[in-house]
Amino acid sequence: MGNQVSNQDQQVVYLKERLNMFLEVLDSIEPESTKVEDIDRLIQMMDDLELKLDQFKKTKE
């Protein structure tokens, strides 16, 4: 996923893939053994998704 995403269709596909990865990670977490670092990583993933979405919005404008 290191390639630059330039057109709107690619951007949507990229965001969907990243969201699916996040959901897979979230699904695999065991609540009994989840550590603070795991939660921090989930928060970072969401922040990264939000940042990428904002970048894509700016290229659309």
Side-chain angles (χ1 to χ4, degrees):
M1 282 197 207
N3 296 341
Q4 186 172 352
V5 179
S6 56
N7 72 39
Q8 196 170 5
D9 290 338
Q10 289 175 324
Q11 292 171 354
V12 170
V13 168
Y14 176 87
L15 290 171
K16 284 181 179 181
E17 288 174 353
R18 293 296 298 259
L19 184 56
N20 282 331
M21 283 193 310
F22 173 77
L23 293 174
E24 287 175 11
V25 171
L26 188 59
D27 219 19
S28 70
I29 290 180
E30 295 294 329
E32 299 82 29
S33 62
T34 301
K35 299 177 182 174
V36 172
E37 294 83 17
D38 299 326
I39 303 300
D40 287 343
R41 180 64 188 135
L42 288 171
I43 292 169
Q44 184 61 51
M45 289 176 79
M46 289 303 300
D47 288 344
D48 292 346
L49 270 171
E50 183 178 14
L51 177 66
K52 193 52 83 172
L53 181 61
D54 288 342
Q55 289 174 346
F56 290 162
K57 283 182 184 177
K58 288 179 183 175
T59 61
K60 186 179 174 185
E61 295 173 349

